[in-house]
Amino acid sequence: MEGSRLRKRFAQIRCPLTDKERERSIRQIILKAKKEVLGAKHICTLKTYADQSRTCKSLGRFREALLHARMASMGAKANTVYPDNPVDSESFENGHRLEMEYVDQLKTMEGERSMEHAIGLNDMGLVHVRNGKYSEGRICFEQALDIFERKYPEEHKQGSQEASRNAIVLWIGTIYTNLALAIAKGCKGKPGEMSEMNLAQTLYLKSLDVYYHELGPSHPRVHKIVNDLALLYNEIGKREQAKALLVDVMGRIHPAASHKERDMSILGYNLAKLYEADEEYPRAIEQYKQVHKWYKGGVTANESDRFRGQIQNNISLCLIELGEYEQAIVLLRGALNMLRQNDSGEESSIARTLYHNLHLAEDRRKKFGHIFSKRY
């Protein structure tokens, strides 16, 4: 081991690093520091990924260049899954442009049916979905799925390693999910909407089956698919099935799981929304309170305040429907005090909603407060 290390060092002395190689090594150190201090999705980290990608390309390291470009464009994917997550658009668009350039390069080198080409198509589809181009996104996902579904039998024939086959299966599950998302979002208000929604449901169930078998029922990806499927059930009028699905998966989350609070917050919030839609206000209130307890905060303080403010707003609306105007007013004022220090547009939008509901609660109290109060 020591001998191979010395031989490598001797080769470096005989063949010193070029300026580009030195630049790549230094930027790798900077990139690691930025990830640790600022986080992987910070605008400065994303830009460094893009710069490192160009450097790797100039050295002919196309796979490494593609990896860094993919990291630079990851904001697009994050924003697709969590629409409220603020992402610097210029950073991920630049990263995505680089990524597709390297995918084309690899396609020329390895052929159109390479896994890298399929992953690139999936990434392109996510960007299309984020930009509201659902038909274009669907085409990309269908092409990527075709490559992976053809690749899986090939891997079995060649007796490839189990890890390689498992990676392909997981990619198939991921693309099922993304394709279902594109179909469900793209068919709204169009002829044949219900048949397309049923197709999206089938794809979500296929994805769920893949993740159950490959990752187990307690994995966060399983919880994400269940959440998406429940939202789809709600849209096509299967609200009872949606509630049963969410209750079931929440009961399966292991108490010691590191992701428990995050997943329970997301699943519980959507369950509470379903109770509220069915006018089961007491159950909705209890569920919202549980979510408030589980939620441990977002990426930023503002994000945490927004979410907690939204929960208090939803509880207040339930209380107004139950005639508990005083409690609603107290909660709404508390949420406004929490958000008052925030000045960004999104906080202002939530604050306007809270103000509107506060006036609604005060008007209802004046008109009906002395007549009835539905205790729960």
Side-chain angles (χ1 to χ4, degrees):
M1 188 71 179
E2 187 64 31
S4 64
R5 199 177 295 140
L6 287 171
R7 280 195 296 274
K8 185 177 179 182
R9 182 63 186 140
F10 180 65
Q12 288 177 342
I13 293 169
R14 291 179 59 193
C15 305
L17 293 174
T18 65
D19 289 343
K20 280 290 180 184
E21 286 168 337
R22 190 173 290 106
E23 180 184 339
R24 171 183 165 273
S25 300
I26 293 170
R27 187 171 282 122
Q28 197 65 32
I29 296 168
I30 295 170
L31 188 55
K32 184 179 179 182
K34 284 186 177 179
K35 280 171 64 179
E36 289 176 358
V37 176
L38 302 174
K41 295 179 187 176
H42 192 278
I43 177 174
C44 295
T45 311
L46 294 177
K47 286 179 177 175
T48 306
Y49 272 124
D51 292 340
Q52 183 71 321
S53 180
R54 293 187 189 95
T55 303
C56 291
K57 179 197 172 188
S58 67
L59 290 167
R61 296 169 174 259
F62 287 106
R63 285 191 174 279
E64 195 175 335
L66 177 60
L67 174 65
H68 288 299
R70 191 162 284 149
M71 293 302 292
S73 68
M74 69 184 296
K77 301 165 203 174
N79 211 36
T80 304
V81 179
Y82 303 105
D84 293 333
N85 185 33
V87 175
D88 176 66
S89 58
E90 185 182 352
S91 292
F92 84 73
E93 288 292 355
N94 286 341
H96 179 68
R97 201 159 36 244
L98 285 169
E99 179 181 354
M100 296 320 299
E101 180 186 329
Y102 304 145
V103 166
D104 287 339
Q105 182 73 30
L106 285 165
K107 185 170 69 174
T108 304
M109 292 163 62
E110 301 179 0
E112 288 193 6
R113 310 212 69 79
S114 73
M115 280 183 63
E116 293 295 348
H117 182 219
I119 294 169
L121 285 167
N122 176 69
D123 293 345
M124 184 189 288
L126 285 168
V127 174
H128 283 317
V129 168
R130 181 187 178 276
N131 291 328
K133 298 178 180 178
Y134 304 118
S135 298
E136 290 89 336
R138 179 175 180 170
I139 291 168
C140 288
F141 296 137
E142 287 172 343
Q143 290 175 353
L145 187 60
D146 180 60
I147 293 172
F148 274 114
E149 286 183 334
R150 288 170 184 264
K151 191 81 175 169
Y152 183 57
E154 289 172 15
E155 292 288 314
H156 270 294
K157 283 179 192 173
Q158 295 167 7
S160 298
Q161 292 183 350
E162 188 67 23
S164 174
R165 290 198 296 270
N166 289 351
I168 291 173
V169 172
L170 287 173
W171 267 112
I172 290 172
T174 298
I175 297 169
Y176 279 148
T177 305
N178 295 337
L179 180 55
L181 176 71
I183 291 170
K185 285 183 173 289
C187 71
K188 289 179 182 175
K190 294 181 179 178
E193 178 180 350
M194 188 51 68
S195 63
E196 290 286 86
M197 283 291 196
N198 288 334
L199 175 58
Q201 176 186 324
T202 302
L203 289 165
Y204 274 131
L205 289 170
K206 282 185 174 182
S207 176
L208 194 58
D209 185 56
V210 167
Y211 287 138
Y212 256 100
H213 282 93
E214 296 296 321
L215 302 174
S218 296
H219 196 277
R221 285 198 195 181
V222 172
H223 304 156
K224 175 69 175 64
I225 303 303
V226 166
N227 185 64
D228 292 344
L229 182 57
L231 293 175
L232 182 70
Y233 279 153
N234 181 47
E235 286 191 39
I236 60 178
K238 298 180 179 179
R239 196 171 288 158
E240 291 304 318
Q241 281 181 255
K243 287 191 282 190
L245 192 65
L246 290 171
V247 169
D248 178 63
V249 77
M250 288 170 71
R252 293 173 184 268
I253 296 179
H254 195 279
S258 59
H259 50 80
K260 178 192 171 186
E261 286 83 6
R262 182 197 63 204
D263 289 357
M264 291 290 272
S265 298
I266 295 168
L267 297 166
Y269 182 82
N270 288 323
L271 179 59
K273 292 286 287 181
L274 293 174
Y275 285 143
E276 187 179 351
D278 278 343
E279 299 184 2
E280 298 179 58
Y281 299 120
R283 296 182 77 177
I285 290 170
E286 291 306 316
Q287 192 63 53
Y288 280 130
K289 287 179 177 178
Q290 284 294 322
V291 172
H292 198 278
K293 191 195 313 181
W294 288 322
Y295 186 64
K296 299 299 182 185
V299 177
T300 64
N302 284 353
E303 184 184 331
S304 300
D305 288 348
R306 283 201 305 273
F307 188 67
R308 290 197 171 95
Q310 188 63 57
I311 292 171
Q312 288 179 258
N313 178 68
N314 294 351
I315 293 174
S316 301
L317 289 174
C318 294
L319 289 169
I320 289 171
E321 293 298 328
L322 291 168
E324 298 288 347
Y325 307 121
E326 289 293 342
Q327 288 188 50
I329 289 167
V330 169
L331 267 180
L332 288 164
R333 285 176 177 165
L336 281 166
N337 286 335
M338 179 176 63
L339 293 171
R340 194 159 284 156
Q341 59 189 3
N342 299 325
D343 296 319
S344 73
E346 284 187 276
E347 275 75 35
S348 298
S349 174
I350 292 173
R352 283 195 295 273
T353 302
L354 291 166
Y355 272 120
H356 172 79
N357 291 332
L358 178 59
H359 291 314
L360 174 66
E362 289 172 341
D363 288 344
R364 291 274 186 94
R365 182 179 61 178
K366 287 177 185 176
K367 292 179 181 177
F368 309 116
H370 62 289
I371 300 175
F372 72 95
S373 178
K374 300 177 188 175
R375 293 284 171 188
Y376 68 94

